[in-house]
Amino acid sequence: MYLQKLQLLNFKNYEEIALDFASKVNVLVGRNGSGKTNLLDAIYYLSFTKSAFATSDLHCVRKGESFLMVKAAFKKNNTVFEVSSAIQSGQKKVFREGGNEYQKLSDHIGRFPVIMIAPDDVDIIKEGSEARRRFFDSAISQLDKEYLNHLIVYNNALKQRNSLLKMFADSGRPDWLAIESYDRLLVQHGEAIYTRRKRFCDEYLPVFRKYFNFLVNEAETSTLAYESGVLTNGFQEQLVRNRQRDLVMQRTNFGVHRDDYIFSLGEGDLKRLGSQGQQKSFVIALKLAQFEILEQHNQFKPILLLDDIFDKLDDQRITKLLELIRSDLGQLFITDARPGRTKDLLDAVGVEATVLFVDAGRISVGH
Amino acid sequence: MEYPSKLIEDAVNQIAKLPGIGKKTALRLVLHLIKDKSENTYALTDALVKLRGNIKFCSSCHNISDHDVCSICLSQRRDRSVICVVEDSKDVMAIENTAQFVGLYHVLGGVISPMNGIGPSELKIDSLVTRISAAQNEVKEIILALSPTMEGDTTAFYINRRIKDFTVKVSVIARGVPVGGDLEYADEITLGRSIAGRTLFQ
């Protein structure tokens, strides 16, 4: 699959642009702040129905404007799909494919998969468990729509249960039956989420190891382990056992929303002991493994967005990554602040690339 | 917006508090009222004052009523062994319009949604339990006619558990394909449910 055309109107710093892309490697060159990452974000938005960075949809709208539109043509198995979206303040966000509006945005996610590798990806390792759950949830959601539905219901039930706990903590008169009404949903959907996460990790680990070992050339075994309270204890029983504590803390202390993924290298914990370089390689391997699993599952390659990636890697790893690109990663978008560098690197390994110069919201095609 | 008169501004602000009405619509309504015959405006305010002052809620089923007990609960022609549980009075009107139901109602006043500040005690659920208990086995069936949403389902689950010790049958309204609708346009979840909940052909 690849992105043929992209039109933006008032998306972040872009007033109005229309672009055609190469089906293989596209290099976006421009100074910091010129809008390279914003262009990647527009592509990300078209896949995930939301920005990778902005916390609110309206933050994607160009300053001083009240609406935005994005439009794209994806080519998949020789068929062209037109995807468009509009955001206007005070109105519901609209997403269309082939002129038909989606009733639920979640129906769109996974149809035109995109994987972004960005500098702040190391947060997956450094931040709390929420960052890791977000990464894996997004990875699984792209494969499995049912998983996404389970997550939506689970999170909704969790919010309701927590609100109920607050309510009862205030009134001092807990109605355990009402709590149980939500426990039932948490158990039903939580178990489905647990099973899917576990199955995904089993499938994912060998692929991940392959990429990690390729990137670092080290003998140390890298591991990621899915850790869930559901594994060792009955879900329902734990919810009942934790009730008093839940009531005191006014939130649900047990469930798949507390799951974590433990990353380790050799004997050590990656978060504390891994070097910067090891951590970077680890997250790139995480993303590349996600790429391969998505490809296996869909029978076509997702679009890969590489934001500022060469800046953060040493020569050895850059060489490795270029090797992968030469072996065909499908359509790629690479941003680079230094003119010439990426192009030279690609030329050196014989990869043909289209260069797009980005300057303050304007884009011109170079050679 | 700047208004030429404080009187207009006050009226607009009050009307714009109503659901579905913004400031522009409110202004249009206000300007209309000024232009219209004054009797009409007085008739309107009179109706509203009377509405608020005199409207009652049935002490038995909590439906909107002109008297302490509503006409449905008082009627001798209604079947007292079946109670249909609904969210609000709008649902009573909708079910009455079907002319398919001759039992009594029980209006909850919403569904359980703690995020919006509605716990079980904010609803008329205790009152339903008391009502079934007071009727001393006269009630044979409870029909739960709640929205097929997570909140509706949770409320149904809760009520079912609260009344499980009574010897009443608890049923829920069927979920499925709309009459006159095309199968291919039904969404997967609805169609799936209607397959699972299929009925014998009669």
Side-chain angles (χ1 to χ4, degrees), chain B residues 81-135:
Chain B
S81 70
V82 193
I83 295 177
C84 180
V85 178
V86 295
E87 277 177 54
D88 56 40
S89 297
K90 268 202 320 251
D91 302 326
V92 173
M93 295 177 214
I95 295 175
E96 280 299 285
N97 281 336
T98 68
Q100 294 291 314
F101 180 68
V102 292
L104 303 180
Y105 292 95
H106 192 88
V107 181
L108 294 177
V111 282
I112 301 174
S113 179
M115 270 193 278
N116 301 315
I118 307 173
S121 53
E122 271 70 37
L123 303 173
K124 302 291 182 194
I125 295 176
D126 286 342
S127 139
L128 175 68
V129 177
T130 318
R131 199 174 154 193
I132 298 170
S133 159

Side-chain angles (χ1 to χ4, degrees), chain B residues 86-196:
Chain B
V86 295
E87 277 177 54
D88 56 40
S89 297
K90 268 202 320 251
D91 302 326
V92 173
M93 295 177 214
I95 295 175
E96 280 299 285
N97 281 336
T98 68
Q100 294 291 314
F101 180 68
V102 292
L104 303 180
Y105 292 95
H106 192 88
V107 181
L108 294 177
V111 282
I112 301 174
S113 179
M115 270 193 278
N116 301 315
I118 307 173
S121 53
E122 271 70 37
L123 303 173
K124 302 291 182 194
I125 295 176
D126 286 342
S127 139
L128 175 68
V129 177
T130 318
R131 199 174 154 193
I132 298 170
S133 159
Q136 293 183 338
N137 295 328
E138 197 191 350
V139 182
K140 303 288 181 228
E141 181 174 359
I142 298 290
I143 302 174
L144 299 171
L146 304 173
S147 308
T149 57
M150 192 189 100
E151 285 72 26
D153 287 344
T154 305
T155 310
F157 176 86
Y158 180 83
I159 293 175
N160 183 43
R161 290 291 299 274
R162 284 287 303 272
I163 60 181
K164 71 175 178 4
D165 292 336
F166 297 109
T167 49
V168 287
K169 184 165 100 181
V170 181
S171 58
V172 289
I173 51 167
R175 278 94 208 262
V177 183
V179 176
D182 240 319
L183 273 200
E184 61 174 315
Y185 295 121
D187 70 286
E188 295 137 51
I189 299 172
T190 306
L191 196 54
R193 282 231 202 167
S194 46
I195 294 280

Side-chain angles (χ1 to χ4, degrees), chain A residues 156 160 167 175 180 182 184, chain B residues 114-115 151 157-158 161:
Chain A
N156 210 343
Q160 294 280 27
M167 213 179 243
D175 177 346
E180 218 183 299
Y182 290 107
R184 177 185 65 113
Chain B
M115 270 193 278
E151 285 72 26
F157 176 86
Y158 180 83
R161 290 291 299 274

